[in-house]
């Protein structure tokens, strides 16, 4: 029996998840010894045909990163599902929709109209838009069509596990690989590569009750106290609702948690929960004052749903 | 979601409420459609579920069909939830397995369309079935009772409440911020409609309170904070230093005689002066002097220190310090009273600029035998007996645009009293009353008013006064008589304003600490305006007197006795049952971020920084759910109202 077969694929994503995979550094050699990487466009010259030729279930584990933005993403998601025994939604885009998912604040037409007509750096008097197919002398050129909205991997195919993070931290990736190699798989549907509770659990800052009179953005705060909860200092921090696992990387460097590890175990809608929680601790009784303080959160959707809009209950702008 | 693998057996009972529900909603159809809904074992409709046979039906069916949850589709749970919970209990079912689906207030009463209202009723009932599926049996939380009461305020209301509680055999602490008890009533001259001398009827009560073995009086003291919960409060009381030992003071007045500092006398509404060391009034309780350190010239011998020198009893102690006294009590009666609306707000009547424009309480002092003029009606500016006095009702009341929208209730009566007492003292004087309406609802009130108009020839003019200004030594009053439509100008020697009653100074801040809600005018909010008029929603707090809104003495006293009866009913129990629908912490999910701590209005949640989890005092938790809504980790889940239940309910409603 040969080595287990691994695949890593990127759909609508930035490529950071592959880089994170390489962040396990010299352990990549252990991985290479243990598994046979059969498909990974980022690292190897592999084609769709190579996958299509495989038998169903031939790939033992596929780490699928990226959201489902276009027809190509969907096609390969369905293909890899068929070919893989274990399909992992790897990284925030595949698990929750992540940054590409913020495209759900508009739709495909809105995005194209802005990108190809309205953006300040665009000069396009003929209003040329990308087309799904273009005829040239050599024949027909095609592009995969863009869907109206972004979906998560789970929303288009059956998945086995979710592994959140933008990107997942190397230590968690290595831990997951070790678990998979050990053959002792967690129950289907589990969120893997995370720690119990929320980012606050991993954050060493002292915490107290919270009564916020001003929200500040990082550039507006003079000096951040390194020992006190960032939220108590007026910096929006998504840590209280975000799944632990990263080791509280951002709060450690005076940056509020962005929320990339997605909703904690006990909740369904991270953005809604965070907005509710943070609005709750505004210290004011006067409606105008409350409005003034909440207006200091410049981009509420981008702040609270930055990584999780398509996977949330609302899913998109409605 | 708790899944113990056991399928629920739910009974649905749809009430017609006569035509209240059945007139709009097709109740038979609702009951019929619910029969097939997953989890529903039995479904029926009945004409009046709350009637004896209706309750019996529920009881029988629980036993017969071994139901482990029932949905009563009827009126608001505020009305009959308890009825059906106790019926269910009789049948051996845990009361927390009873759910009320409100298809009356939230459906039949607000929708005219039969079909649509029926569809909505079905949705409401289905959502409650979904909730019931996840309901768990809950047992009430038991807690002991500390049988000692705190009364805040030493006016007539507070004193009455204290007496009535103490007479039931329970200990009482009365906290009064002024140096003496007595409140506003002790400043009044006579009371309407009997013209009893106010002091004469109140001072016996004040004495009784000091002598009562069960009552501890703490004057010149303020409640700093109250923590804990019904039956088990911890109170911190700030005792201000009066620099005079109450027990040693012999009331010889020598200290006041030598004191060189004079300041306006609060008891006489600033119409006379007192010394910096003083007794507020001769019958003050406790009978002792108080050194008002803010007005004192200085206690060092080089500055003054005269009072200490002359005090043979050695009662004066300049080193007295503010003390914090901690007490444990089981119930609190809030009787913080009222203040008069600020004269400065009434610029059209001269604000505070005219000495001879007085408010009602100032005029009471002028009428009072113990007042600055010894009861002789003289005007403050020059001591002359005023021959023309104008009384203006509704000064600052019933004027939503500029002042207070409410009616101060007692002013009609006390203005009649003022005018009458003035006429009794100044026989040849003219009394003119400007009024909007004269409201005389009350025992013997209208007779009293008739006496004022008929027998005492007091002139009542229906209209408002637009302006008062001074010309020479007269006050010119511009008004209108709306019955004749004529403008009226009166040259008055003195004007008395029936000033609006308003919230007492410092009350909103204190109520914030006590977690007692107040209304838009700053009056304390009762738990229910009709059925729970002397209770606060914050359990263990009882409310009485003018702090709840304008009222006269008998009403305030009645509320005091009512609050005392409520305290007695609470103390008659050795153990209290606390509703178990609280919000505990799921420790596996909680990381101790602290957000819920700031949300909890009852101080039930504390952060354990070492374990990084929230700890909940389940007796303090009132189950309001604020923390559950705020908790971003889903670690705060209200029992029988979890996120999972709410999602299932929403789904059921959206599915239809």
């Amino acid at each position: 029996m040969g080595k287990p077969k691994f695949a890593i694929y990127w759909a609508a994503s930035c490529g950071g998840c592959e880089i994170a995979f390489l962040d396990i550094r010299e352990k990549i050699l252990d991985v290479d010894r243990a598994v046979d990487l059969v498909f990974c466009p980022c690292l190897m010259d592999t084609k769709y045909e190579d996958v299509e030729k495989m038998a169903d279930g031939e790939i033992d584990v596929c780490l699928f990163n990226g959201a489902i933005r276009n027809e190509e993403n969907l096609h390969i998601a369905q293909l890899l599902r068929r070919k893989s025994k274990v399909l992992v939604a790897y990284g925030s885009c595949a698990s929750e929709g992540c940054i590409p998912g913020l495209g759900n604040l508009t739709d495909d037409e809105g995005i194209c109209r802005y990108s190809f007509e309205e953006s300040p750096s665009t000069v396009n008097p003929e209003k040329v838009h990308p087309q799904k197919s273009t005829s040239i002398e050599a024949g027909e050129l095609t592009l995969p069509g863009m869907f109206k909205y972004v979906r998560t991997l789970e929303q288009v195919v059956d998945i086995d596990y979710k592994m959140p993070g933008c990107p997942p931290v190397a230590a968690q990736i290595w831990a997951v690989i070790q678990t998979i190699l050990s053959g002792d798989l967690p129950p289907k549907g589990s969120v893997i590569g995370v720690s119990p509770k929320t980012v606050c659990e991993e954050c060493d800052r002292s915490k107290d009750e919270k009564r916020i009179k001003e929200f500040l953005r990082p550039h507006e705060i003079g000096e951040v106290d390194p020992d006190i909860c960032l939220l108590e200092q007026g910096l929006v921090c998504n840590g209280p609702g975000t799944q632990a696992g990263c080791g509280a990387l951002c709060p450690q460097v005076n940056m509020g948690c962005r929320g990339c590890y997605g909703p904690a175990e006990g909740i369904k809608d991270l953005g809604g929960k965070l907005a509710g929680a943070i609005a709750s601790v505004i210290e004011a009784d006067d409606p105008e004052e409350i409005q003034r303080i909440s207006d200091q959160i410049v981009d509420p959707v981008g702040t609270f749903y930055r990584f999780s809009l398509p996977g949330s209950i609302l899913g998109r702008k409605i | 979601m708790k899944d113990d693998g056991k399928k629920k057996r739910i009974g649905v009972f749809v009430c017609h409420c006569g035509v209240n529900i059945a007139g709009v909603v097709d109740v038979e159809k609702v009951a019929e459609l619910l029969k097939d809904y997953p989890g529903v074992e039995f479904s029926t409709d009945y004409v009046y579920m709350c009637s004896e046979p209706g309750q019996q039906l529920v009881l029988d069916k629980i036993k017969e069909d071994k139901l482990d949850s029932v949905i009563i589709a009827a009126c608001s749970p505020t009305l009959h939830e308890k009825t059906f919970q106790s019926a269910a209990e009789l049948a051996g079912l845990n009361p927390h397995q009873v759910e009320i689906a409100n298809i009356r207030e939230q459906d039949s009463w607000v929708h005219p369309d039969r079909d649509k209202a029926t569809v909505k009723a079905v949705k409401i009932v289905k959502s409650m079935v979904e909730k019931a599926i996840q309901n768990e049996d809950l047992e009430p939380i038991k807690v002991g009772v500390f049988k000692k009461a705190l009364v805040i305020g030493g006016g007539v209301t507070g004193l009455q409440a204290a007496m009535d509680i103490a007479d039931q055999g329970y200990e009482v602490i009365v906290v009064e911020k002024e140096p003496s008890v007595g409140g506003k009533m002790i400043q009044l001259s006579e009371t309407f409609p009997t013209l009893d001398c106010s002091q004469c009827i109140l001072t016996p009560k004040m004495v009784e309170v000091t002598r009562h073995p069960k009552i501890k009086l703490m004057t010149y003291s303020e409640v700093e904070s109250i923590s804990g919960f019904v039956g088990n409060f911890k109170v911190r009381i700030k005792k201000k230093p009066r620099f005079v030992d109450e027990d040693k003071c012999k009331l010889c007045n020598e200290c006041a005689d030598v004191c060189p500092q004079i300041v306006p006398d609060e008891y006489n509404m600033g119409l006379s002066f007192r010394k910096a060391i003083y007794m507020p009034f001769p019958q003050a309780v406790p009978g002792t002097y108080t050194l008002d350190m803010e007005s004192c010239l200085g206690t060092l011998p080089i500055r003054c220190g005269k009072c200490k020198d002359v005090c043979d009893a050695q009662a004066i102690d300049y080193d007295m310090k503010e003390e914090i006294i901690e007490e444990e009590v089981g119930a609190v009666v809030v009787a913080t009273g009222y203040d008069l609306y600020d004269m400065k707000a009434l610029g059209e009547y001269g604000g505070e600029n005219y000495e001879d424009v007085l408010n009602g309480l100032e005029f009471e002092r002028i009428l009072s035998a113990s007042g600055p003029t010894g009861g002789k009606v003289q005007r403050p500016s020059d001591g002359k007996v005023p021959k023309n006095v104008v009384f203006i009702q509704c000064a600052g009341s019933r004027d939503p645009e500029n002042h207070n929208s409410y009616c101060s209730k007692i002013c009609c009566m006390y203005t009649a009293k003022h005018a009458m007492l003035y006429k009794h003292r100044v026989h040849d004087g003219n009394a003119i009353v400007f009024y909007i309406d004269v409201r005389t609802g009350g025992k013997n009130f209208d007779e009293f008013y008739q006496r004022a108009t008929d027998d005492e020839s007091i002139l009542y003019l229906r209209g408002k006064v637009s302006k008062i200004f001074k010309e020479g030594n007269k006050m010119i009053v511009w008004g209108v008589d709306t019955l004749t439509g004529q403008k009226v100008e009166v040259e008055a020697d003195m004007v008395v304003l029936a000033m609006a009653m308003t919230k007492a100074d410092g009350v909103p801040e204190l109520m914030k600490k006590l977690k007692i809600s107040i209304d838009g005018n700053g009056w304390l909010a009762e738990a229910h305006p009709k059925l729970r008029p002397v209770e606060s929603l914050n359990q263990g707090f009882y409310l009485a007197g003018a702090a709840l809104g304008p009222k006269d003495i008998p009403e305030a006293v009645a509320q005091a006795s009512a609050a005392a009866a409520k305290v007695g009913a609470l103390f008659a129990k050795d153990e209290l049952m606390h509703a178990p629908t609280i919000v505990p912490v799921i420790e596996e999910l909680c990381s101790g971020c602290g957000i819920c701590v700031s949300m909890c209005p009852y101080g039930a949640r504390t952060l354990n920084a070492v374990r990084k989890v929230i700890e909940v005092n389940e007796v303090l938790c009132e189950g309001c759910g604020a923390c559950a809504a705020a908790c971003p980790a889903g670690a705060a889940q209200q029992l029988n109202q979890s996120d999972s239940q709410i999602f299932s309910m929403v789904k059921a409603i959206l599915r239809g």
Side-chain angles (χ1 to χ4, degrees):
Chain A
M1 200 179 117
K3 293 192 282 186
K5 289 181 177 167
F6 253 54
I8 305 177
Y9 187 69
W10 51 9
S13 72
C14 68
C17 288
E18 277 85 353
I19 307 305
F21 185 75
L22 296 177
D23 272 350
I24 61 175
R25 300 184 191 171
E26 72 282 358
K27 295 193 184 76
I28 196 79
L29 300 173
D30 296 334
V31 175
D32 185 50
R33 263 196 296 281
V35 306
D36 191 4
L37 197 58
V38 294
F39 181 60
C40 181
C42 177
L43 301 176
M44 303 154 56
D45 184 15
T46 39
K47 305 286 188 230
Y48 294 151
E49 292 91 337
D50 299 333
V51 183
E52 279 158 7
K53 280 177 200 151
M54 292 179 191
D56 285 358
E58 187 175 327
I59 300 168
D60 290 280
V61 178
C62 173
L63 301 182
F64 188 102
N65 77 70
I68 309 302
R69 167 82 271 183
N70 63 30
E71 290 166 352
E72 188 266 351
N73 302 151
L74 179 63
H75 169 75
I76 195 80
Q78 288 167 337
L79 181 66
L80 284 168
R81 171 66 280 183
R82 223 169 37 242
K83 303 295 177 188
S84 310
K85 287 196 188 77
V86 173
L87 179 66
V88 182
Y90 167 66
S92 181
C93 292
S95 312
E96 299 294 326
C98 199
I99 305 298
L102 290 174
N104 286 5
L105 290 172
T106 169
D107 57 14
D108 55 338
E109 280 177 24
I111 290 170
C112 289
R113 195 168 52 246
Y114 183 81
S115 301
F116 295 100
E117 295 177 34
E118 296 166 355
S119 78
S121 59
T122 300
V123 180
N124 183 5
E126 283 134 39
K127 299 190 192 316
V128 178
H129 278 230
Q131 299 298 311
K132 275 183 75 176
S133 68
T134 312
S135 296
I136 56 166
E137 268 179 47
E140 178 108 336
L141 288 180
T142 59
L143 276 175
M146 199 167 160
F147 294 126
K148 202 169 173 65
Y149 300 111
V150 173
R151 284 171 288 174
T152 67
L153 183 60
E154 192 182 17
Q155 286 165 351
V156 299
V157 295
D158 182 41
I159 63 165
D160 297 288
Y161 304 113
K162 272 190 201 175
M163 182 174 180
C166 182
V169 292
Q172 295 284 12
I173 297 172
W174 178 237
V176 164
I177 291 170
Q178 279 180 310
T179 310
I180 291 172
L181 291 178
S182 75
D184 186 15
L185 296 175
K188 184 174 162 142
S190 301
V191 179
I192 56 173
V194 297
S195 307
K197 303 200 177 184
T198 71
V199 173
C200 295
E201 179 75 13
E202 298 181 324
C203 171
D204 290 332
R205 290 170 180 274
S206 74
K207 293 167 196 79
D208 205 338
E209 42 180 303
K210 289 151 181 54
R211 295 179 191 281
I212 297 173
K213 293 195 169 74
E214 299 286 337
F215 286 113
L216 297 164
R217 301 174 75 187
H219 67 277
E220 291 167 334
I221 193 164
E223 202 165 311
V224 180
D225 188 313
D227 300 320
I228 296 174
C229 171
L230 292 171
L231 200 48
E232 287 163 32
Q233 299 181 56
L235 277 173
V236 172
C237 178
N238 290 347
T242 303
Q243 182 71 52
C246 62
L249 289 176
C250 298
Q252 272 182 28
V253 293
N254 294 346
M255 177 66 82
C257 166
R258 325 294 275 166
C260 77
Y261 262 62
E265 191 190 334
I267 59 173
K268 293 193 177 190
D269 191 306
L270 179 60
K273 274 290 185 189
L274 285 169
I278 286 173
S280 300
V281 292
I282 292 175
E283 174 81 336
D285 291 329
D286 172 43
E288 277 176 29
E289 176 70 358
I290 294 170
Q291 187 64 52
R292 187 190 67 79
I293 298 172
S294 25
D295 285 347
Q296 290 170 339
I297 297 173
V298 178
D299 174 14
V301 179
T303 303
F304 301 126
Y305 281 106
R306 184 182 286 124
F307 299 94
S308 65
L309 185 59
S312 70
I313 292 174
L314 284 177
R316 58 187 163 84
K317 186 176 180 181
I318 46 174
Chain B
M1 172 181 168
K2 193 189 151 195
D3 185 12
D4 51 10
K6 194 182 129 215
K7 203 170 150 260
K8 278 246 169 147
R9 298 170 63 86
I10 297 169
V12 174
F13 300 85
V14 186
C15 181
H16 297 212
C17 195
V19 293
N20 271 308
I21 297 171
V24 181
V25 172
D26 185 345
V27 284
E28 287 93 354
K29 190 175 171 191
V30 174
E32 195 56 38
L33 283 172
L34 261 293
K35 277 190 175 137
D36 299 329
Y37 197 74
V40 176
E41 189 64 30
F42 171 82
S43 176
T44 190
D45 59 281
Y46 189 75
V47 62
Y48 284 110
M49 285 310 309
C50 62
S51 64
E52 278 287 328
Q55 291 182 56
Q56 194 60 43
L57 175 68
V58 177
L59 216 149
D60 292 343
K61 277 291 161 190
I62 290 172
K63 288 183 182 165
E64 240 170 72
D65 287 0
K66 296 188 177 56
L67 301 177
D68 50 17
S69 196
V70 292
I71 316 291
I72 314 292
C75 53
S76 160
T78 56
L79 297 165
H80 277 302
E81 188 175 44
K82 282 226 164 67
T83 310
F84 293 106
Q85 283 185 335
S86 53
E89 242 180 328
L90 284 175
L93 187 65
N94 185 288
H96 295 279
Q97 297 289 1
V98 176
E99 289 294 345
I100 307 289
N102 182 353
I103 58 166
R104 193 178 75 173
E105 286 84 343
Q106 293 177 355
D107 191 1
S108 70
W109 277 2
V110 287
H111 299 298
D113 185 300
R114 188 170 181 82
D115 292 339
K116 285 182 182 168
T118 304
V119 169
K120 183 173 175 184
V122 171
K123 286 180 179 215
I124 293 172
V125 181
K126 282 180 179 174
S127 76
M128 295 319 285
V129 172
E130 288 295 338
K131 178 174 190 286
I133 287 174
Q134 295 184 54
N135 272 355
E136 294 172 37
D137 285 1
L138 301 175
E139 295 305 327
I141 299 159
K142 287 179 187 160
V143 57
V145 186
F146 209 89
K147 298 184 181 184
K148 189 178 191 180
L150 170 73
V151 174
I152 308 176
V156 63
T157 310
L159 296 180
Q160 184 68 42
M163 287 295 301
D164 288 355
I165 297 167
D167 283 346
Q168 294 175 72
Y170 303 114
E171 284 186 59
V172 184
I173 305 162
V174 179
V175 173
E176 165 59 51
K177 66 177 176 180
E178 300 298 334
S180 169
V181 296
K184 293 276 184 292
M185 184 177 165
I186 199 69
Q187 291 179 283
L188 304 182
S189 165
E190 276 93 3
T191 59
F192 63 78
T194 49
L195 299 184
D196 280 314
C197 157
S198 187
Q199 281 196 348
C200 311
I201 56 175
L202 185 60
T203 47
K205 264 193 201 300
M206 290 161 59
V207 174
E208 237 181 303
V209 164
T210 47
R211 302 253 164 91
H212 203 297
K214 294 276 184 191
I215 298 178
K216 179 176 165 186
L217 204 54
M218 292 184 67
T219 50
Y220 216 39
S221 301
E222 285 176 44
V223 171
E224 185 83 354
S225 68
I226 299 186
S227 59
F229 47 91
V230 57
N232 297 271
F233 294 111
K234 280 198 171 57
V235 188
R236 284 166 60 85
I237 301 163
K238 182 172 81 184
K239 196 168 189 294
K240 295 178 271 188
R242 57 167 97 225
F243 304 103
V244 177
D245 187 325
E246 298 170 30
D247 299 326
K248 288 186 187 161
C249 176
K250 297 209 162 61
L251 304 177
C252 64
N253 201 46
E254 281 187 32
C255 53
D257 287 341
V258 297
C259 178
Q261 277 300 85
I262 56 165
V263 281
D265 183 348
E266 298 86 355
Y267 177 65
N268 279 333
M269 300 298 291
L271 295 171
S272 68
F273 295 93
R274 63 163 170 84
K275 295 294 182 66
I277 189 162
Y278 69 112
M279 189 153 159
F281 49 94
Q283 305 94 325
V285 166
T288 187
Y289 280 71
T290 300
L291 173 56
D292 159 16
M293 203 46 100
E294 271 178 37
S295 313
C296 176
L297 196 58
T299 57
L300 292 175
I302 193 165
R303 299 295 308 275
C304 180
K306 287 197 175 86
C307 54
K308 194 174 177 179
D309 288 345
V310 298
C311 183
D312 289 338
Q314 296 190 318
I316 296 171
D317 175 6
Y318 292 151
D319 296 326
M320 232 180 235
K321 294 267 177 320
E322 183 179 291
E323 282 178 80
I324 298 287
I325 315 265
E326 295 200 3
E327 292 277 0
E328 278 185 290
V329 299
V332 181
V333 177
V334 184
T336 43
Y338 71 99
D339 269 331
L340 284 188
Y341 194 52
D342 193 353
M343 195 91 119
K344 285 188 200 124
L346 290 159
E348 64 272 35
Y349 298 162
E352 272 186 331
N353 295 331
Y354 304 134
E355 277 180 279
D356 296 328
V357 178
L358 305 175
N359 68 31
L361 215 44
E362 288 168 338
F363 193 58
E364 292 283 346
R365 294 314 304 147
I366 286 181
L367 291 171
S368 171
S370 65
T373 56
K376 199 173 166 206
V377 180
Q378 289 175 301
R379 60 183 204 170
S381 60
D382 52 14
K384 281 190 185 147
V385 175
K387 295 293 177 194
N388 288 303
V389 180
V390 170
F391 296 88
I392 301 174
Q393 295 196 172
C394 299
S397 301
R398 303 179 67 196
D399 186 349
E401 283 83 26
N402 305 308
H403 304 292
N404 302 299
S405 56
Y406 54 83
C407 164
S408 289
K409 196 171 183 180
I410 60 169
C411 323
C412 289
M413 289 307 294
Y414 80 61
T415 297
K417 177 191 79 178
H418 281 168
M420 203 186 273
L421 291 174
Y422 164 70
K423 292 283 284 184
H424 291 180
R425 313 267 159 97
V426 185
H427 300 298
D428 59 344
N430 293 313
I432 302 168
V433 178
F434 281 93
Y435 69 100
I436 307 178
D437 300 295
V438 175
R439 298 178 169 184
T440 56
K443 203 172 177 181
N444 294 324
F445 283 11
D446 204 61
E447 293 86 332
F448 185 79
Y449 163 63
Q450 292 302 335
R451 211 174 110 195
T453 51
D454 300 351
D455 303 349
E456 311 277 0
S457 51
I458 294 159
L459 178 62
Y460 270 75
L461 290 177
R462 186 176 180 279
K464 282 203 85 166
V465 168
S466 59
K467 194 177 168 69
I468 302 173
F469 57 96
K470 196 169 177 175
E471 219 172 76
N473 61 358
K474 296 277 186 195
M475 302 308 308
I476 309 299
V477 179
W478 278 357
V480 63
D481 178 358
T482 55
L483 295 180
T484 60
Q486 283 184 333
K487 273 170 73 179
V488 181
E489 182 177 314
V490 184
E491 281 189 13
D493 299 307
M494 191 160 91
V495 180
V496 179
L497 305 179
M499 194 61 83
M501 289 169 91
T502 184
K503 60 179 186 289
D505 192 29
V507 157
E509 296 74 24
L510 178 63
M511 293 314 135
K512 204 170 175 187
K513 283 194 222 166
L514 306 190
K515 299 184 173 85
I516 291 173
S517 35
I518 51 176
D519 68 16
N521 294 316
W523 304 117
L524 310 191
E526 52 281 82
H528 190 284
K530 304 257 184 304
L531 302 176
R532 295 172 68 191
V534 296
E535 290 165 74
S536 159
L537 276 176
N538 195 1
Q539 277 192 55
F541 286 87
Y542 302 91
L543 318 173
L548 285 150
K551 57 178 56 69
D552 65 1
I553 295 164
E555 261 189 280
V557 169
Q559 285 200 330
S561 293
K566 285 278 168 196
V567 172
L570 178 74
F571 288 176
K573 299 177 188 126
D574 292 321
E575 237 175 17
L576 298 178
M577 295 295 183
H578 186 74
T581 42
I582 59 164
V583 186
V585 163
I586 304 171
E587 289 204 356
E588 297 77 57
L589 299 178
C590 175
S591 302
C593 70
I595 284 176
C596 63
V597 178
S598 10
M599 285 312 296
C600 180
Y602 306 101
R605 304 178 87 80
T606 43
L607 173 62
N608 184 328
V610 180
R611 292 177 56 226
K612 282 195 171 181
V613 288
I614 298 299
E615 290 169 353
V616 179
N617 181 332
E618 53 178 27
V619 186
L620 279 183
C621 176
E622 288 289 328
C624 71
C627 56
C631 174
Q637 296 289 336
Q638 183 147 23
L639 297 181
N640 284 359
Q641 187 87 318
S642 63
D643 286 359
S644 161
Q645 282 175 298
I646 293 168
F647 280 124
S648 302
M649 291 168 76
V650 172
K651 274 186 201 156
I653 289 168
L654 296 178
R655 270 199 307 261

